[in-house]
Amino acid sequence: MIDVLATTPTEGEELNIILLIGIAIFGGTIGARIFQRLRIPRIVGYVAIGIILGPLFGVISERTIQDLEPFNMFALGIIGFLIGGELKREIFVKFGGQVFSILLFEGLAACLLVGALSFGIMWYFADWKTALAVAVVFGAICAATDPASTMSVLWEYKTRGPLTSMLTAIVALDDALALVLYTICVSVAGVVIGHGEAGFFPALLRSFYEIAGSLAVGVAAGFLLNWILNRTEEPERVLVFSISLALLIIGVAITRELDVIISSMALGVTLTNLGSKRVLSSFALVHRFAAPVYVLFFVIVGARLNISNMGPQVGLLVTAYVIGSVVGKTSGAWWGAVRSKSVPTIRKYLGFCLYQQGTIAIALLLMATSRFNGEIRDTMLSVIIAGVFVLQLAGPMFVKIGAKKAGEVGLNITEEDLIRSYKVEDVLDDKVPAISAGLSLNELIKVVANTNSYCYPVVDNAGKLTGVITLDGIMNTFATQELNDWLVALDIAEPVSEKAVPQMPLSEAFEKAKEMDVEFLPAVAPDDAEKYVGILSVRSAHRRLAAEVLAKQKEADRMYAHQVT
Amino acid sequence: MLKEPELANVLVPQRVLILDSKNKRDALLTLINCLGTAPEVKDHDALAQRIFYREELMSTGIGMGIAVPHVRLASVTSPVMCAGLCRNPITDYQSLDGIPIHLIFMIAAGQNQHEEYLRLLSSLSLKLKCEKLRNSLISASDTQTFFQILTHQEK
């Protein structure tokens, strides 16, 4: 889709680019953290830092952006692969008709509305031919919803449910729809204006080649990757094979002038629908690997947004573009959802989640502007860049609101997510009674019989923690019952090797327990390292977290159950 | 399954004492000083502190004129024992059945030698249930005889 600029930087510039990548990723991550504190999706932070580093302070120059174009392609490919990974057969079985109905309605409604508004405005300032050219290009480009930022928000907020599935399917296919609309519209516009290079039907044929070719390459690579991963054990090698296949696909797509996102998405879809559990681990590995790639990608998106040099008609056109996209997508998605009898959450909130536009729109714009010259070209560039700027900043927040209103936020959590976000106090058992060091074994057995714990703290007369007794320790005394009358808790207590405090991150406590090879950690007060406050049982904590994850999944599944098919 | 511990492995004749102590504290101190010289015990003070702390929690006078003060300590490398024959029965030991103490067996084990420690205690207590053996030990003329009587059946 985009020409990869084969610039050969000198040694000094190469160093400079690495420094800039470092600044961009570091700055983007800091920006994301600040925005996250303000409860704004991370991606807005990346883009904002991109704007600061690019148009505002000029740290990232046009040249740098061009030099990083191959990297952008790589990021798009990875994003495509991960989106494809989300598209399991079941989504299409469950939502099939609905997806296409909603996709067509939201895409066409936005296209027609933006086209009509743009045509009206441009006709006032220029001749009808120019107005038509601008209108069809804007209409086609606005249909594209940015899958990368959409998915970034969905992943960040761990969403799960019918809205998430539908949104994933829509943004995955939106690229193809936008490409078809773009090809048709731009060919029409080119013919009308007189800049058409090949004519309408050759352009349409070219579009068909691009989509079909991308799908064929992606599916073939998917089969190959599945075959390889089925014979690969180590996670590192799974990651290396997945990334290298994705790179190959991206390279082939660029060389054969195919669509990078569609081909890598086809790779992801094929793999996710063929693969065994081990093969599917590839997506999690790539997802983890992709974090800095995302940051840089979105910082560059921000750096590219140059909103200076705007004339009066540009302001009006930007307003029309933004309003047309928002109203068109909201009403179109609603209409499509009603017609296809989707669940209320999809009807009500899907439209809100489709506003953001990003790289696809910019890529289509770059392709479009290569066909036009002079004022039309500048107008198109200014309007789309400004429109995308507004929608890209506002869109992710609407995705968050939509997902939240639909009740799908946090339903896709894993045990690891909970461990990362929880503290010891969240799973601490503070009901386990403290055992006095002098309690006889007979008495101790009675306490154990009446309580439900695998581990008991032993405290001295001053209430200080002196050891722990585990069920294993008590079981050892079953063979020596003649000692029960004169052994006390202290005699069978194990020393406390590590302690936890309630405010400690759960991951840190688990790490400690693993290092010490113990199942339990007694927790003590933060201000008194010997005052017992509860027992952290690794096993019980995992059970509790698993139950929580299961409850969230059940909640999401209940939403699916209400889905009208 | 762990092998039943042999007393001869944890006790040597040199750590059998004839005690003239008149009270529990003196008797325990004498035995602590003796056990503290065993190569397995690396920290004499920790042994003393823990033995007395354990007595505070509950008397180790288990009845039938026998006391088994016992501790587990990080500074002990393997189970070890010393024995005391009280020529003057100790009346302030506060044993479970109130009978004055004639025989004291002090045991120390490593902190993580839980099972060996319990088996040693169990083995000793089962052995001492035999009244004949108890009487033989109480009437032993010297430490060598005491040691031989205690470990005789094992050999």
Side-chain angles (χ1 to χ4, degrees), chain A residues 86-143:
Chain A
E86 304 278 338
L87 295 178
K88 298 205 168 64
R89 201 176 296 121
E90 302 88 72
I91 291 182
F92 291 101
V93 172
K94 210 171 241 173
F95 295 107
Q98 293 176 21
V99 171
F100 291 105
S101 165
I102 294 172
L103 181 71
L104 277 180
F105 277 89
E106 60 91 15
L108 286 175
C111 177
L112 291 174
L113 195 56
V114 168
L117 289 171
S118 308
F119 182 78
I121 293 165
M122 273 311 279
W123 202 10
Y124 182 78
F125 289 101
D127 60 290
W128 72 272
K129 278 187 174 183
T130 310
L132 183 63
V134 168
V136 291
V137 169
F138 287 4
I141 292 177
C142 82

Coordinates of all heavy atoms in Angstrom, one line a residue, chain A residues 86-143:
Chain A
E86 N -7.7 -13.0 17.0 CA -8.9 -12.8 17.8 C -10.1 -13.4 17.1 O -11.2 -13.6 17.6 CB -9.2 -11.3 18.1 CG -8.1 -10.6 18.8 CD -8.1 -10.8 20.3 OE1 -9.1 -11.2 20.8 OE2 -7.0 -10.6 20.9
L87 N -10.0 -13.6 15.8 CA -11.1 -13.9 14.9 C -11.3 -15.4 14.8 O -10.9 -16.1 13.8 CB -11.0 -13.3 13.6 CG -11.0 -11.8 13.6 CD1 -10.9 -11.2 12.2 CD2 -12.3 -11.3 14.1
K88 N -11.9 -16.0 15.9 CA -12.1 -17.5 15.9 C -13.4 -17.8 15.1 O -14.2 -16.9 14.9 CB -12.2 -18.0 17.3 CG -11.0 -17.7 18.1 CD -10.8 -18.7 19.2 CE -9.4 -18.6 19.8 NZ -9.1 -17.4 20.5
R89 N -13.4 -19.0 14.6 CA -14.5 -19.4 13.7 C -15.9 -19.1 14.4 O -16.8 -18.7 13.8 CB -14.4 -20.9 13.5 CG -15.1 -21.5 12.3 CD -14.9 -23.0 12.2 NE -13.5 -23.3 11.9 CZ -12.7 -24.1 12.6 NH1 -13.1 -24.6 13.7 NH2 -11.4 -24.3 12.3
E90 N -15.9 -19.3 15.8 CA -17.1 -19.2 16.5 C -17.7 -17.8 16.3 O -18.9 -17.6 16.3 CB -16.9 -19.4 18.0 CG -16.4 -20.8 18.3 CD -14.9 -20.8 18.3 OE1 -14.3 -20.3 19.2 OE2 -14.3 -21.4 17.4
I91 N -16.8 -16.8 16.2 CA -17.3 -15.4 16.1 C -18.2 -15.3 14.8 O -19.3 -14.7 14.9 CB -16.2 -14.4 16.1 CG1 -15.5 -14.3 17.5 CG2 -16.6 -13.0 15.7 CD1 -14.4 -13.4 17.6
F92 N -17.6 -15.9 13.8 CA -18.4 -15.7 12.5 C -19.6 -16.6 12.5 O -20.6 -16.2 12.0 CB -17.4 -16.1 11.3 CG -16.4 -15.1 11.1 CD1 -15.1 -15.4 11.6 CD2 -16.6 -13.9 10.6 CE1 -14.1 -14.4 11.4 CE2 -15.7 -12.9 10.4 CZ -14.4 -13.2 10.8
V93 N -19.5 -17.8 13.2 CA -20.7 -18.6 13.3 C -21.8 -17.9 14.0 O -23.0 -17.9 13.7 CB -20.3 -20.0 13.9 CG1 -21.6 -20.8 14.2 CG2 -19.4 -20.8 13.1
K94 N -21.4 -17.3 15.1 CA -22.3 -16.6 16.0 C -22.8 -15.3 15.4 O -24.0 -14.9 15.5 CB -21.6 -16.4 17.4 CG -22.6 -16.4 18.5 CD -21.8 -16.4 19.8 CE -22.0 -17.6 20.6 NZ -21.2 -17.7 21.8
F95 N -21.9 -14.5 14.9 CA -22.2 -13.2 14.4 C -22.3 -13.0 12.9 O -22.6 -11.9 12.5 CB -21.2 -12.2 15.0 CG -21.2 -12.1 16.5 CD1 -20.1 -12.6 17.2 CD2 -22.2 -11.4 17.2 CE1 -20.1 -12.6 18.6 CE2 -22.1 -11.3 18.5 CZ -21.1 -11.9 19.2
G96 N -21.9 -14.1 12.2 CA -21.7 -13.9 10.7 C -22.6 -12.9 10.0 O -22.0 -11.9 9.6
G97 N -23.9 -13.1 10.0 CA -24.8 -12.2 9.2 C -24.7 -10.8 9.8 O -24.7 -9.8 9.1
Q98 N -24.7 -10.8 11.1 CA -24.7 -9.5 11.8 C -23.5 -8.7 11.5 O -23.6 -7.5 11.2 CB -24.7 -9.7 13.3 CG -26.0 -10.3 13.8 CD -25.9 -10.6 15.3 OE1 -25.1 -10.0 16.0 NE2 -26.7 -11.5 15.8
V99 N -22.3 -9.3 11.4 CA -21.1 -8.6 11.1 C -21.2 -7.9 9.8 O -20.9 -6.7 9.7 CB -19.9 -9.6 11.1 CG1 -18.6 -8.9 10.6 CG2 -19.6 -10.2 12.5
F100 N -21.6 -8.6 8.8 CA -21.7 -8.0 7.4 C -22.7 -6.9 7.3 O -22.5 -5.9 6.7 CB -21.8 -9.1 6.4 CG -20.6 -9.9 6.3 CD1 -20.5 -11.2 6.8 CD2 -19.4 -9.4 5.8 CE1 -19.4 -12.0 6.8 CE2 -18.2 -10.1 5.7 CZ -18.2 -11.4 6.2
S101 N -23.9 -7.2 8.0 CA -24.9 -6.2 8.0 C -24.4 -4.9 8.6 O -24.5 -3.8 8.1 CB -26.1 -6.7 8.8 OG -27.0 -5.7 9.0
I102 N -23.8 -5.0 9.8 CA -23.4 -3.8 10.6 C -22.2 -3.1 9.8 O -22.2 -1.9 9.6 CB -22.9 -4.2 12.0 CG1 -24.2 -4.6 12.8 CG2 -22.3 -3.0 12.7 CD1 -23.8 -5.2 14.2
L103 N -21.3 -4.0 9.3 CA -20.2 -3.4 8.6 C -20.6 -2.6 7.4 O -20.2 -1.5 7.2 CB -19.3 -4.6 8.1 CG -18.0 -4.3 7.3 CD1 -17.0 -3.7 8.3 CD2 -17.5 -5.5 6.7
L104 N -21.5 -3.1 6.6 CA -22.0 -2.4 5.4 C -22.7 -1.1 5.8 O -22.4 -0.1 5.2 CB -22.9 -3.3 4.6 CG -22.2 -4.3 3.6 CD1 -23.2 -5.1 2.9 CD2 -21.3 -3.5 2.6
F105 N -23.6 -1.2 6.8 CA -24.4 -0.1 7.2 C -23.5 1.0 7.8 O -23.6 2.2 7.4 CB -25.5 -0.4 8.1 CG -26.7 -1.0 7.4 CD1 -26.8 -2.3 7.1 CD2 -27.7 -0.1 7.0 CE1 -27.9 -2.8 6.4 CE2 -28.8 -0.6 6.3 CZ -28.9 -1.9 6.0
E106 N -22.6 0.7 8.7 CA -21.8 1.7 9.3 C -20.8 2.3 8.3 O -20.6 3.5 8.3 CB -21.1 1.3 10.6 CG -20.1 0.1 10.5 CD -18.7 0.5 10.2 OE1 -18.4 1.7 10.4 OE2 -17.9 -0.4 9.7
G107 N -20.2 1.5 7.5 CA -19.3 2.0 6.5 C -19.9 2.8 5.5 O -19.4 4.0 5.2
L108 N -21.0 2.4 4.9 CA -21.7 3.1 3.9 C -22.3 4.4 4.4 O -22.3 5.4 3.7 CB -22.7 2.2 3.2 CG -22.1 1.2 2.2 CD1 -23.2 0.3 1.7 CD2 -21.4 1.8 1.1
A109 N -22.9 4.3 5.6 CA -23.6 5.5 6.1 C -22.5 6.6 6.3 O -22.8 7.8 6.0 CB -24.3 5.2 7.5
A110 N -21.4 6.3 6.9 CA -20.4 7.3 7.2 C -19.8 7.8 5.8 O -19.6 9.0 5.6 CB -19.2 6.7 8.0
C111 N -19.6 6.9 4.9 CA -19.1 7.2 3.6 C -20.0 8.2 2.9 O -19.6 9.3 2.4 CB -18.9 6.0 2.7 SG -18.4 6.2 1.1
L112 N -21.3 7.9 2.9 CA -22.3 8.8 2.2 C -22.5 10.1 2.9 O -22.5 11.2 2.2 CB -23.7 8.1 2.1 CG -23.7 6.8 1.1 CD1 -25.0 6.1 1.2 CD2 -23.4 7.3 -0.3
L113 N -22.5 10.1 4.2 CA -22.7 11.3 4.9 C -21.5 12.3 4.8 O -21.7 13.4 4.5 CB -23.0 11.0 6.4 CG -23.5 12.1 7.3 CD1 -24.8 12.6 6.7 CD2 -23.8 11.6 8.7
V114 N -20.3 11.7 5.0 CA -19.1 12.5 4.9 C -19.0 13.0 3.4 O -18.7 14.2 3.2 CB -17.9 11.7 5.3 CG1 -16.6 12.5 4.9 CG2 -17.9 11.5 6.8
G115 N -19.3 12.1 2.5 CA -19.2 12.5 1.1 C -20.1 13.6 0.7 O -19.8 14.6 0.1
A116 N -21.4 13.5 1.2 CA -22.4 14.5 0.9 C -22.0 15.9 1.5 O -22.1 16.9 0.9 CB -23.8 14.1 1.4
L117 N -21.6 15.8 2.8 CA -21.3 17.1 3.5 C -20.1 17.7 2.8 O -20.0 19.0 2.6 CB -21.0 16.8 5.0 CG -22.1 16.5 5.9 CD1 -21.7 16.0 7.2 CD2 -23.1 17.7 6.0
S118 N -19.1 16.9 2.5 CA -17.8 17.5 1.9 C -18.2 18.1 0.5 O -17.6 19.1 0.1 CB -16.8 16.4 1.7 OG -16.6 15.7 2.9
F119 N -19.0 17.4 -0.2 CA -19.4 17.8 -1.6 C -20.0 19.2 -1.5 O -19.7 20.2 -2.2 CB -20.3 16.8 -2.2 CG -20.7 17.2 -3.6 CD1 -19.8 17.0 -4.7 CD2 -21.9 17.8 -3.9 CE1 -20.2 17.4 -6.0 CE2 -22.3 18.2 -5.2 CZ -21.4 18.0 -6.3
G120 N -21.0 19.3 -0.5 CA -21.7 20.6 -0.3 C -20.7 21.7 0.0 O -20.8 22.8 -0.6
I121 N -19.8 21.5 0.9 CA -18.9 22.6 1.3 C -17.9 22.9 0.1 O -17.7 24.1 -0.2 CB -18.1 22.1 2.6 CG1 -19.0 22.0 3.7 CG2 -17.0 23.1 2.9 CD1 -18.5 21.2 4.9
M122 N -17.4 21.9 -0.5 CA -16.4 22.2 -1.5 C -17.0 22.9 -2.7 O -16.4 23.6 -3.4 CB -15.7 20.9 -2.0 CG -14.5 20.5 -1.1 SD -13.3 21.8 -0.9 CE -12.4 21.8 -2.4
W123 N -18.3 22.5 -3.0 CA -19.0 23.1 -4.1 C -19.1 24.6 -3.9 O -19.0 25.4 -4.9 CB -20.4 22.5 -4.3 CG -20.9 22.6 -5.7 CD1 -20.2 23.1 -6.8 CD2 -22.2 22.3 -6.1 NE1 -21.1 23.1 -7.9 CE2 -22.3 22.6 -7.5 CE3 -23.4 21.8 -5.5 CZ2 -23.4 22.4 -8.3 CZ3 -24.5 21.6 -6.2 CH2 -24.6 21.9 -7.6
Y124 N -19.2 25.0 -2.7 CA -19.3 26.4 -2.4 C -18.0 27.2 -2.7 O -18.0 28.3 -3.1 CB -19.7 26.6 -0.9 CG -19.9 28.0 -0.4 CD1 -21.0 28.7 -0.7 CD2 -18.9 28.7 0.3 CE1 -21.2 30.0 -0.3 CE2 -19.0 30.0 0.7 CZ -20.2 30.7 0.4 OH -20.4 32.0 0.7
F125 N -16.9 26.5 -2.4 CA -15.6 27.1 -2.6 C -14.9 26.8 -4.0 O -14.0 27.6 -4.4 CB -14.6 26.6 -1.5 CG -14.9 27.2 -0.1 CD1 -15.6 26.4 0.8 CD2 -14.6 28.5 0.2 CE1 -15.9 26.9 2.0 CE2 -14.9 29.0 1.5 CZ -15.6 28.2 2.4
A126 N -15.3 25.7 -4.6 CA -14.7 25.4 -5.9 C -15.7 24.8 -6.9 O -16.9 24.9 -6.6 CB -13.6 24.4 -5.6
D127 N -15.2 24.3 -8.0 CA -16.1 23.8 -9.0 C -16.6 22.4 -8.6 O -16.1 21.7 -7.7 CB -15.4 23.7 -10.3 CG -14.2 22.8 -10.3 OD1 -13.2 23.2 -9.7 OD2 -14.3 21.7 -10.9
W128 N -17.6 21.9 -9.3 CA -18.3 20.6 -8.8 C -17.3 19.4 -9.0 O -17.4 18.5 -8.3 CB -19.6 20.4 -9.6 CG -19.4 20.1 -11.0 CD1 -19.4 20.9 -12.1 CD2 -19.3 18.7 -11.6 NE1 -19.2 20.3 -13.3 CE2 -19.2 18.9 -13.0 CE3 -19.3 17.5 -11.0 CZ2 -19.0 17.8 -13.9 CZ3 -19.2 16.4 -11.9 CH2 -19.0 16.6 -13.3
K129 N -16.4 19.5 -10.0 CA -15.5 18.4 -10.2 C -14.6 18.2 -9.0 O -14.4 17.1 -8.5 CB -14.7 18.6 -11.5 CG -15.4 18.3 -12.8 CD -14.4 18.4 -13.9 CE -15.0 18.0 -15.2 NZ -13.9 18.0 -16.3
T130 N -14.1 19.3 -8.6 CA -13.2 19.3 -7.4 C -13.9 18.8 -6.2 O -13.4 18.0 -5.4 CB -12.6 20.7 -7.2 OG1 -12.0 21.2 -8.4 CG2 -11.5 20.6 -6.1
A131 N -15.2 19.3 -6.1 CA -16.0 19.0 -4.9 C -16.3 17.5 -4.9 O -16.2 16.8 -3.9 CB -17.3 19.7 -5.0
L132 N -16.6 16.9 -6.1 CA -16.8 15.5 -6.2 C -15.6 14.7 -5.9 O -15.7 13.7 -5.1 CB -17.3 15.1 -7.6 CG -17.8 13.7 -7.8 CD1 -18.9 13.3 -6.9 CD2 -18.1 13.4 -9.3
A133 N -14.5 15.1 -6.4 CA -13.2 14.4 -6.1 C -12.9 14.3 -4.6 O -12.6 13.2 -4.1 CB -12.1 15.0 -6.9
V134 N -13.0 15.5 -4.0 CA -12.7 15.6 -2.6 C -13.8 14.7 -1.8 O -13.4 14.0 -0.9 CB -12.8 17.0 -2.1 CG1 -12.8 17.1 -0.6 CG2 -11.6 17.8 -2.7
A135 N -15.0 14.8 -2.2 CA -16.1 14.1 -1.5 C -15.9 12.6 -1.5 O -16.0 11.9 -0.5 CB -17.5 14.5 -2.1
V136 N -15.6 12.1 -2.7 CA -15.5 10.6 -2.8 C -14.3 10.1 -2.0 O -14.3 9.0 -1.4 CB -15.5 10.1 -4.2 CG1 -16.8 10.2 -4.9 CG2 -14.4 10.7 -5.0
V137 N -13.2 10.9 -2.0 CA -12.0 10.4 -1.3 C -12.3 10.5 0.2 O -12.0 9.5 0.9 CB -10.8 11.3 -1.7 CG1 -9.6 11.1 -0.7 CG2 -10.3 11.1 -3.1
F138 N -12.9 11.6 0.7 CA -13.2 11.7 2.1 C -14.1 10.6 2.5 O -14.0 10.0 3.6 CB -13.8 13.1 2.4 CG -12.7 14.2 2.4 CD1 -11.4 13.9 2.0 CD2 -13.1 15.5 2.7 CE1 -10.5 15.0 1.9 CE2 -12.2 16.5 2.7 CZ -10.9 16.2 2.3
G139 N -15.1 10.4 1.7 CA -16.2 9.3 2.0 C -15.5 8.0 2.2 O -15.8 7.2 3.1
A140 N -14.6 7.7 1.2 CA -14.0 6.3 1.3 C -13.1 6.2 2.5 O -13.1 5.2 3.2 CB -13.2 6.1 0.0
I141 N -12.3 7.2 2.7 CA -11.3 7.1 3.8 C -12.0 7.1 5.2 O -11.6 6.3 6.1 CB -10.3 8.3 3.8 CG1 -9.4 8.2 2.5 CG2 -9.4 8.4 5.0 CD1 -8.5 9.3 2.3
C142 N -13.1 7.8 5.4 CA -13.7 7.8 6.7 C -14.3 6.5 7.1 O -14.6 6.2 8.3 CB -14.8 8.9 6.8 SG -16.4 8.4 6.1
A143 N -14.6 5.6 6.1 CA -15.1 4.3 6.4 C -14.2 3.4 7.3 O -14.6 2.5 8.0 CB -15.5 3.5 5.2

